[in-house]
């Protein structure tokens, strides 16, 4: 007869209800996922902040340790990269970013380059001593070169003038 009966209407309504139910389920799932992502994001942000504060604290402790050292510390990768002005005979801040050849006298630059190359090749500490005149006085220094990366070293420069003078004078105390 071609006319739609009650079962056809019911069947269409059930199909619409099924589609609406699936759409509602997807919407609920999407809302739950968004909430989970937001929660994970907040947790991650909190962890990042916590770790950032921990790094700031460790950095402050490390900086205090470095500031307490009487030695001059330089990061070198065939150029003077950074320094702390501790010994007036070395050009710490003035040398930052300059090549070793620009920052140091030729003989000292050669010894430094040699020590740097040996430390990088052997992955062991290299050291040498040198003397320099500062404010009319001969100052003795010890340089220790420690590998700190594949192409970088840490040079630790210590004024050993008092130790040298004490070694020359029997019975003298080293400060």
């Amino acid at each position: 007869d071609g006319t739609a009966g009650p079962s056809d209407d019911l069947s269409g309504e059930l199909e619409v209800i099924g589609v609406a139910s699936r759409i509602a389920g997807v919407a609920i799932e999407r809302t739950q996922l968004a909430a989970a992502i937001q929660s994970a994001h907040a947790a991650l942000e909190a962890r990042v902040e916590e770790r950032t504060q921990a790094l700031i604290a460790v950095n402050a402790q490390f900086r205090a340790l470095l500031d307490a050292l009487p030695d001059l510390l330089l990061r070198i990768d065939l150029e003077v990269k950074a320094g702390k002005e501790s010994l007036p005979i070395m050009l710490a801040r003035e040398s930052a970013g300059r090549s070793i050849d620009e920052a140091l006298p030729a003989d000292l630059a050669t010894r430094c380059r040699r020590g740097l190359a040996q430390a990088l090749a052997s992955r062991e500490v290299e050291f040498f001593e040198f003397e320099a005149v500062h404010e009319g006085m001969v100052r003795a220094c010890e340089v220790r070169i420690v590998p700190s990366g594949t192409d970088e070293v840490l040079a630790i420069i210590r004024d050993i003038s008092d130790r040298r003078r004490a070694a020359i004078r029997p019975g003298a105390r080293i400060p």
Side-chain angles (χ1 to χ4, degrees), residues 18-30:
V19 169
S21 172
R22 286 192 297 274
I23 291 172
V26 168
I28 291 170
E29 185 177 319
R30 186 175 171 155

Side-chain angles (χ1 to χ4, degrees), residues 72-75 79-105 134-135 157:
L72 174 65
L73 305 173
L74 299 173
R75 284 180 30 212
E79 290 186 11
V80 177
K81 285 294 189 188
K84 178 181 126 202
E85 197 166 9
S86 296
L87 295 175
I89 57 174
M90 295 304 298
L91 307 170
R93 289 195 175 106
E94 297 83 4
S95 299
R98 295 171 57 198
S99 73
I100 291 171
D101 296 317
E102 294 171 332
L104 301 173
H134 176 68
E135 296 178 355
I157 304 155

